[in-house]
C-alpha cells in the first residue's frame, strides 16, 4: 500500500521543481498514458515503492497501485494531461484510474490507479506461471516496455525475439501500447527462415484482443519480412 501521507509531504518540493522547469522554458506536452518498468534504479526507501520524475510528472508505484502527480507550470496548469481516462502500464500490467485527490495548500492533484483484474484469457496471470516458456515471454514483454523508454537490455529501442513461429496476443498488445519500439522477429515458415520488422505503430494497427496468436502467414502478410539463409533457431 502506497503511503499517501508521504506523497503529500513531497508536494512543496514538487511545486518548486515545477516552477523551475517552467522557468527553463520547457514546453508542456501530453502524457495521458504512462508506461514504466520496475527496476532497482527506481526503488525509493522513503516511499517504500518505486518512484521516478520526468519533466512533466512524478510517479510512484508498487505491484498493486500507482500514483501520478502532474507538475504545474507558472500559470499553475498541469504540464502532463493525466486524467480519469489515462491508463498506466507497469511491467506489462495495466493500472486503471480509481480516484483523484487535490492538496488544498499547493493545488497539486494526485491521480490514483489500481492494477486491473486479469482478463478472461488469463493475460498477465499466464505470465506468472512456472512454465519456462511463459517466464521467458514475460521477460521479453518487460524488455519491450523498457525499450520504449530506451532502457532495454541493449540500451536502445530494439528488441530481438527468436522463439516460436508466431507472436502471442500479450506480446502484440505490449507492442501496440508502446510508441517507439522495433521488434526484430526471427521465425520459420514452410522450411524457410525469415526476419520480420514490427514497429509499435504497425502493431497498433493490427492488434485485436480476440486474436490469440499472430501466426507466420499473418506476419508475412502484414509486416516487412526478408528471407534469410541461416538457421534462426
Amino acid at each position: 500500500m502506497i503511503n499517501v501521507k508521504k506523497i503529500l509531504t513531497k508536494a512543496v518540493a514538487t511545486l518548486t521543481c515545477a516552477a523551475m522547469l517552467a522557468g527553463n522554458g520547457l514546453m508542456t506536452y501530453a502524457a495521458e498514458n504512462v508506461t514504466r518498468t520496475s527496476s532497482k534504479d527506481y526503488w525509493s526507501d522513503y516511499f517504500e515503492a518505486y518512484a521516478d520524475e520526468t519533466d512533466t510528472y512524478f510517479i510512484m508505484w508498487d505491484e498493486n497501485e500507482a500514483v501520478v502527480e502532474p507538475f504545474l507550470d507558472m500559470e499553475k496548469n498541469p504540464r502532463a494531461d493525466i486524467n480519469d481516462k489515462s491508463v498506466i502500464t507497469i511491467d506489462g500490467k495495466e493500472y486503471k484510474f480509481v480516484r483523484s485527490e487535490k492538496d488544498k495548500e499547493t493545488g497539486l492533484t494526485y491521480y490514483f490507479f489500481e492494477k486491473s483484474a486479469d482478463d478472461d484469457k488469463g493475460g498477465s496471470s499466464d505470465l506468472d506461471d512456472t512454465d519456462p516458456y511463459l517466464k521467458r515471454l514475460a521477460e521479453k514483454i518487460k524488455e519491450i516496455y523498457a525499450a520504449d523508454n530506451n532502457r532495454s537490455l541493449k540500451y536502445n529501442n530494439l528488441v530481438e525475439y527468436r522463439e516460436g513461429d508466431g507472436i502471442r496476443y500479450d506480446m502484440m498488445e505490449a507492442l501496440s501500447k508502446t510508441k517507439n519500439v522495433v521488434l526484430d522477429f526471427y521465425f520459420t515458415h514452410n522450411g524457410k527462415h525469415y526476419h520480420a520488422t514490427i514497429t509499435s505503430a504497425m502493431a497498433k494497427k493490427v492488434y485485436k484482443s480476440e486474436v490469440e496468436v499472430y501466426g507466420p502467414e499473418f506476419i508475412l502478410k502484414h509486416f516487412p519480412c526478408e528471407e534469410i539463409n541461416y538457421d534462426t533457431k
Side-chain angles (χ1 to χ4, degrees):
M1 180 70 68
I2 293 177
N3 190 321
V4 177
K5 289 184 178 180
K6 285 191 174 182
I7 300 174
L8 294 177
T9 61
K10 182 185 179 298
V12 175
T14 300
L15 191 62
T16 301
C17 177
M20 291 175 62
L21 288 170
N24 287 336
L26 294 174
M27 297 180 64
T28 302
Y29 62 89
E32 180 173 318
N33 297 324
V34 176
T35 300
R36 309 300 298 175
T37 301
S38 304
S39 76
K40 63 181 181 180
D41 295 333
Y42 299 126
W43 179 257
S44 167
D45 290 328
Y46 176 75
F47 292 115
E48 295 183 344
Y50 298 97
D52 193 26
E53 289 185 352
T54 72
D55 289 343
T56 59
Y57 64 85
F58 168 76
I59 181 172
M60 68 173 59
W61 68 92
D62 60 22
E63 62 180 9
N64 296 310
E65 296 178 287
V67 183
V68 184
E69 169 207 323
F71 292 160
L72 303 180
D73 60 20
M74 294 297 288
E75 285 74 39
K76 295 189 176 181
N77 297 313
R79 296 170 61 81
D81 186 20
I82 305 297
N83 54 56
D84 59 359
K85 293 183 172 50
S86 296
V87 175
I88 312 301
T89 305
I90 298 173
D91 299 332
K93 313 272 179 69
E94 282 192 357
Y95 290 59
K96 294 189 176 180
F97 175 83
V98 290
R99 65 186 176 89
S100 62
E101 182 175 327
K102 187 172 184 178
D103 183 83
K104 295 181 180 179
E105 293 184 7
T106 65
L108 295 169
T109 300
Y110 299 85
Y111 295 84
F112 293 79
F113 298 77
E114 291 183 357
K115 185 171 69 175
S116 302
D118 295 333
D119 61 23
D120 293 336
K121 291 190 293 187
S124 58
S125 64
D126 284 349
L127 302 183
D128 294 328
D129 199 276
T130 57
D131 186 299
Y133 163 71
L134 294 177
K135 283 187 175 181
R136 292 193 300 273
L137 180 64
E139 290 303 314
K140 189 59 63 173
I141 289 175
K142 287 182 181 180
E143 189 178 340
I144 288 171
Y145 284 111
D148 201 34
N149 295 312
N150 291 327
R151 294 193 178 96
S152 71
L153 297 177
K154 297 180 180 179
Y155 300 100
N156 54 39
N157 66 334
L158 301 177
V159 177
E160 187 176 282
Y161 188 52
R162 293 175 175 265
E163 187 160 356
D165 298 325
I167 296 178
R168 270 177 49 126
Y169 68 90
D170 34 15
M171 179 175 285
M172 190 68 76
E173 180 182 31
L175 280 168
S176 72
K177 290 180 178 178
T178 59
K179 294 181 179 180
N180 303 303
V181 177
V182 177
L183 180 72
D184 288 318
F185 177 47
Y186 295 86
F187 65 101
T188 300
H189 182 58
N190 290 338
K192 296 180 179 180
H193 305 300
Y194 296 94
H195 164 222
T197 302
I198 306 174
T199 65
S200 299
M202 293 174 186
K204 188 174 183 178
K205 287 182 179 180
V206 303
Y207 171 71
K208 294 182 179 179
S209 59
E210 63 269 20
V211 177
E212 294 280 345
V213 177
Y214 299 82
E217 292 185 1
F218 183 95
I219 301 296
L220 286 165
K221 181 178 179 180
H222 291 88
F223 304 112
C225 296
E226 61 176 341
E227 187 176 347
I228 53 181
N229 297 319
Y230 53 89
D231 192 349
T232 61
K233 298 295 183 182

